[in-house]
Amino acid sequence: MNKKIRNLLHIIFIVLNVFNSIFAQIPKNNSVLHYTSVYFEDSLVNSGNTYKLFLGLDSLFKKPILLIDTIYKKLPAFHVYKLNWATTYYWRVDAYKDGKIAKQGEIHKFSIMTIKASYMDTVRLKVIKNIKNKNNGGFIVFDNCRTIFDREGNPVWTLPLTKDIIDFNTVIRDLKITKDNTLTFLTLKTPIEIDFEGGVLWKGIKPLVIGKDTIKYHHDFKKDNEGNYWVLGNRIVYRKLLKKLEDNIVRNEDKVLITDSGIFRGCEMGLLMKFNKDNQLLWMWDANNYLKDVDLNYKLSGNGFPSFSSHMNAFSFNEKMDEVCIGFRDLSRIVKVNVKTGKVISSYGEKYPSGDAKYADNTFFSQHDCSLTKANSILIFSNNTLKKEPSSVIELDGNNLNNNPVLWQFNLNFDSLTDGRSERCGNVTDLKNDNLLVCAGTLNRTFEITRKHEIVWDAFIQCKVNGDTNWTALKQYRSSFIPKIPIYQFIPVVEKTETKNNKVKKIKVVINNTGNSTDSYILKVFDKNQKVMIQKLTKQVIVNNNCTTIIDVPIQLKDKSAFTISITSNSLPNRVKFLTSN
């Protein structure tokens, strides 16, 4: 049992003699929030049959915020949207019985933080097109400014500061939602998973050492449907120089090792790693076993020394087919790997001396993203950096390998607002409505496009650099789609108790889903010695007009001992509430 819960149970058993609800006020007094849509809940359950929220900019509510949603609810739970950043608010909930005041709640205070990072004072999303009946709705998250925006351009959530992990100086990359309604992202040091409240759920080992190599996490991090974590890594590997070069060129090159068997150059070599929730390494694919010396020696740097650069920078998996796509920017190559065998089963991109890639030669260059779609096609954000051509979005046929695998293409020089060239970064997301969300990376533009090439949402992300008064382009690493910002909240109450011989035999617990997301709940009954007598998992409670589930709990006690019921959100396990009796 969690130590915090055990200690709380110990206190509860001492003080209770009737059914009580042990809830905390939400938001907590003097808390600092990192979002503008706020859920309010007071502990006045059973104090009335209706409740009213008072919200204002001062403790006397002389500057009240009047909203329809704050008036006369059947439970002391309220949702208020689009509050202001960098603002302090005061609130209280009053209970009413038959329209008359029954109990006045306490006054609480909270603030909403400022959106800020070490490199910017403020940020904005300038939306220039929003065709609501054609785009996918929802929200867009921009990783470099660590913030989620709605489709109108309003910031609604920003990454909270976390002690020893995230501060205003932390560089954030690849911030996105998982199927579990959590968020994953990379810092320069480690991959991290959090809930929307900012609670850390998982983080990678730091430092990560495999064999004799210290691994650096980078570029791409995902959580799969089984709850495992996939992340790219780099380490330094020495590969052989095949060309004979003048001594002065070799001596001036960094990371050169001269041995009796030849000259070797140290280069970054990519890994794709899969970890479970306990940070055990379950699977690894090492590019060093695949890439050939002849390919690493093929492209030359300015002084004539081979670049030895592959730059693994993206991956995507098809869990049903047990396949993963992996991208190498500096080779302009994407490979598809069978997870069970670790073998490359197909390769796409520029053809090199080894014979790879096999398909789609001269189709994309210096790409930053490869993403498998629902149809098993491959979406690519082709930066085309060295070709001096407009960047483009390309969809390749991942099923039928032929001479022309391009299914769809869109070039980014589609208007006069930009030159359509993104030197670095960017990604493409396959949306549920079959549209594509395109982050143009250093172009600081993100747009949604239909398969018929119609732009149905378009925006530029901008910031004010520290001390500057002008808006400037804020380049993004990746942007991602979020259908909604989940709120997991609930209020349990005891509706009925059945007794026999002055002993409780059965209680009926009603769990009200007061959040905005479907959830299920784990109910446990503890005796006076904190031993679990009963444990049940409820059915899913969908958010609609009747957001409740009813559980009949049989209680069999030999005496009049106290017992406590805990109810835990299955989606947010640190959200626990208690019903108590003796």
Side-chain angles (χ1 to χ4, degrees):
M1 186 192 307
N2 182 285
K3 184 177 180 181
K4 183 177 179 181
I5 295 176
R6 187 187 299 115
N7 291 340
L8 183 55
L9 285 172
H10 180 71
I11 297 171
I12 289 170
F13 283 121
I14 294 174
V15 300
L16 294 167
N17 54 13
V18 293
F19 270 109
N20 289 288
S21 301
I22 309 298
F23 305 157
Q25 287 80 18
I26 304 173
K28 292 181 180 179
N29 200 33
N30 295 315
S31 59
V32 179
L33 307 184
H34 55 280
Y35 41 82
T36 58
S37 295
V38 180
Y39 171 84
F40 295 86
E41 179 182 311
D42 204 285
S43 58
L44 297 176
V45 179
N46 299 326
S47 295
N49 47 31
T50 57
Y51 302 87
K52 181 178 180 180
L53 171 68
F54 293 81
L55 179 64
L57 299 176
D58 63 287
S59 59
L60 298 177
F61 303 103
K62 292 181 179 179
K63 298 178 181 179
I65 297 172
L66 301 176
L67 299 164
I68 295 175
D69 287 344
T70 65
I71 300 174
Y72 301 127
K73 298 280 185 173
K74 292 183 178 180
L75 290 167
F78 306 85
H79 293 265
V80 178
Y81 303 96
K82 295 185 179 180
L83 294 179
N84 295 323
W85 295 95
T87 304
T88 297
Y89 293 93
Y90 296 83
W91 68 282
R92 81 165 193 261
V93 173
D94 288 352
Y96 295 80
K97 282 188 178 178
D98 303 323
K100 296 180 180 180
I101 185 75
K103 186 174 181 179
Q104 181 172 298
E106 297 179 1
I107 296 174
H108 309 285
K109 172 185 173 184
F110 70 93
S111 299
I112 300 178
M113 67 184 291
T114 300
I115 300 176
K116 187 177 180 181
S118 60
Y119 48 84
M120 67 177 190
D121 284 335
T122 188
V123 65
R124 75 175 181 184
L125 184 66
K126 187 177 180 181
V127 178
I128 61 175
K129 182 176 287 188
N130 183 15
I131 305 177
K132 295 182 179 180
N133 64 333
K134 291 186 177 182
N135 68 46
N136 204 54
F139 302 85
I140 311 297
V141 55
F142 295 83
D143 60 2
N144 200 24
C145 64
R146 56 177 72 182
T147 299
I148 300 172
F149 292 80
D150 65 22
R151 290 295 186 130
E152 283 73 42
N154 301 303
V156 297
W157 185 98
T158 194
L159 192 66
L161 305 184
T162 307
K163 185 179 180 182
D164 299 326
I165 298 178
I166 303 165
D167 58 27
F168 286 126
N169 296 308
T170 307
V171 176
I172 303 298
R173 292 286 182 267
D174 198 29
L175 178 62
K176 56 179 175 280
I177 194 169
T178 73
K179 75 169 188 65
D180 298 321
N181 280 337
T182 61
L183 294 165
T184 57
F185 60 92
L186 288 161
T187 70
L188 294 181
K189 296 179 180 180
T190 186
I192 298 171
E193 179 188 24
I194 63 170
D195 58 43
F196 275 82
E197 296 293 326
V200 176
L201 304 174
W202 186 88
K203 59 181 178 178
I205 298 170
K206 185 183 68 174
L208 175 63
V209 178
I210 299 177
K212 296 181 179 180
D213 297 314
T214 298
I215 309 301
K216 178 184 177 182
Y217 302 107
H218 67 97
H219 276 92
D220 206 345
F221 172 43
K222 293 179 172 71
K223 185 179 183 182
D224 67 21
N225 290 331
E226 295 181 352
N228 298 312
Y229 302 90
W230 300 62
V231 62
L232 295 183
N234 266 337
R235 75 192 197 285
I236 299 298
V237 171
Y238 281 81
R239 297 295 293 260
K240 192 170 186 177
L241 175 68
L242 301 182
K243 299 178 181 291
K244 186 166 179 60
L245 299 173
E246 295 180 7
D247 289 345
N248 65 315
I249 295 178
V250 174
R251 285 195 302 269
N252 290 330
E253 192 69 21
D254 189 26
K255 297 177 185 173
V256 168
L257 181 64
I258 302 174
T259 71
D260 293 339
S261 58
I263 300 173
F264 295 81
R265 161 71 191 275
C267 58
E268 283 192 341
M269 192 61 64
L271 303 167
L272 174 57
M273 300 167 290
K274 175 184 177 182
F275 297 90
N276 65 13
K277 63 180 181 180
D278 298 319
N279 261 307
Q280 295 174 318
L281 182 61
L282 303 179
W283 182 87
M284 183 173 71
W285 189 81
D286 187 349
N288 195 47
N289 298 327
Y290 160 70
L291 295 175
K292 304 293 192 295
D293 284 333
V294 66
D295 287 352
L296 295 173
N297 278 262
Y298 182 53
K299 295 290 179 78
L300 305 179
S301 58
N303 65 356
F305 201 96
S307 69
F308 282 91
S309 181
S310 57
H311 196 85
M312 184 191 290
N313 66 357
F315 74 93
S316 178
F317 40 67
N318 183 327
E319 294 183 66
K320 290 183 180 180
M321 298 182 67
D322 221 10
E323 295 176 351
V324 60
C325 271
I326 302 171
F328 299 89
R329 184 196 68 184
D330 291 352
L331 299 177
S332 297
R333 185 184 303 176
I334 293 170
V335 299
K336 188 179 286 187
V337 175
N338 181 288
V339 174
K340 289 182 180 178
T341 66
K343 301 293 185 182
V344 172
I345 55 179
S346 58
S347 57
Y348 308 83
E350 185 178 356
K351 189 174 288 294
Y352 270 62
S354 68
D356 270 354
K358 305 295 186 186
Y359 309 99
D361 186 23
N362 289 316
T363 301
F364 57 90
F365 298 93
S366 308
Q367 80 285 353
H368 190 261
D369 190 40
C370 62
S371 177
L372 286 167
T373 70
K374 300 180 288 287
N376 203 39
S377 59
I378 305 171
L379 290 170
I380 302 167
F381 187 80
S382 180
N383 297 80
N384 296 331
T385 305
L386 300 179
K387 290 293 181 179
K388 303 300 181 184
E389 296 175 357
S391 302
S392 60
V393 180
I394 296 171
E395 184 175 15
L396 295 182
D397 191 338
N399 299 305
N400 300 310
L401 303 178
N402 52 55
N403 293 328
N404 184 21
V406 177
L407 298 174
W408 189 90
Q409 183 168 344
F410 183 77
N411 295 333
L412 267 62
N413 59 341
F414 58 90
D415 63 16
S416 59
L417 296 180
T418 74
D419 63 1
R421 287 186 46 74
S422 174
E423 294 293 325
R424 293 177 292 108
C425 307
N427 69 303
V428 189
T429 304
D430 184 27
L431 299 175
K432 191 174 182 179
N433 64 355
D434 206 35
N435 291 349
L436 301 178
L437 181 70
V438 180
C439 168
T442 56
L443 208 56
N444 84 297
R445 188 177 203 171
T446 296
F447 59 91
E448 183 179 335
I449 184 171
T450 70
R451 301 287 179 160
K452 295 182 178 179
H453 290 187
E454 181 184 4
I455 304 293
V456 293
W457 187 82
D458 196 4
F460 288 85
I461 188 78
Q462 301 171 324
C463 73
K464 289 184 179 179
V465 180
N466 295 343
D468 199 347
T469 57
N470 298 317
W471 290 103
T472 186
L474 180 57
K475 301 172 183 179
Q476 292 302 300
Y477 190 74
R478 286 191 174 103
S479 300
S480 299
F481 173 76
I482 291 182
K484 70 176 177 182
I485 298 174
I487 298 174
Y488 294 109
Q489 295 288 354
F490 61 96
I491 295 180
V493 293
V494 173
E495 186 177 82
K496 184 179 179 182
T497 1
E498 293 182 13
T499 60
K500 186 176 181 181
N501 298 327
N502 203 29
K503 295 179 183 178
V504 176
K505 291 296 183 182
K506 183 190 290 186
I507 60 174
K508 181 177 286 188
V509 178
V510 178
I511 303 176
N512 302 276
N513 186 342
T514 52
N516 68 357
S517 300
T518 297
D519 201 358
S520 58
Y521 307 93
I522 301 168
L523 180 146
K524 294 181 182 179
V525 179
F526 299 88
D527 65 16
K528 64 180 181 180
N529 298 315
Q530 304 172 24
K531 181 182 177 181
V532 177
M533 298 188 296
I534 299 171
Q535 179 169 325
K536 289 188 175 185
L537 175 64
T538 74
K539 64 182 181 180
Q540 286 192 327
V541 183
I542 299 172
V543 177
N544 53 29
N545 293 329
N546 184 25
C547 315
T548 62
T549 185
I550 299 174
I551 309 172
D552 287 323
V553 184
I555 304 293
Q556 299 294 333
L557 294 174
K558 295 180 180 180
D559 52 33
K560 295 182 180 181
S561 300
F563 61 90
T564 295
I565 301 172
S566 73
I567 298 102
T568 304
S569 163
N570 204 32
S571 300
L572 195 61
N574 63 358
R575 184 137 293 151
V576 186
K577 295 186 177 180
F578 296 94
L579 300 169
T580 62
S581 179
N582 72 356

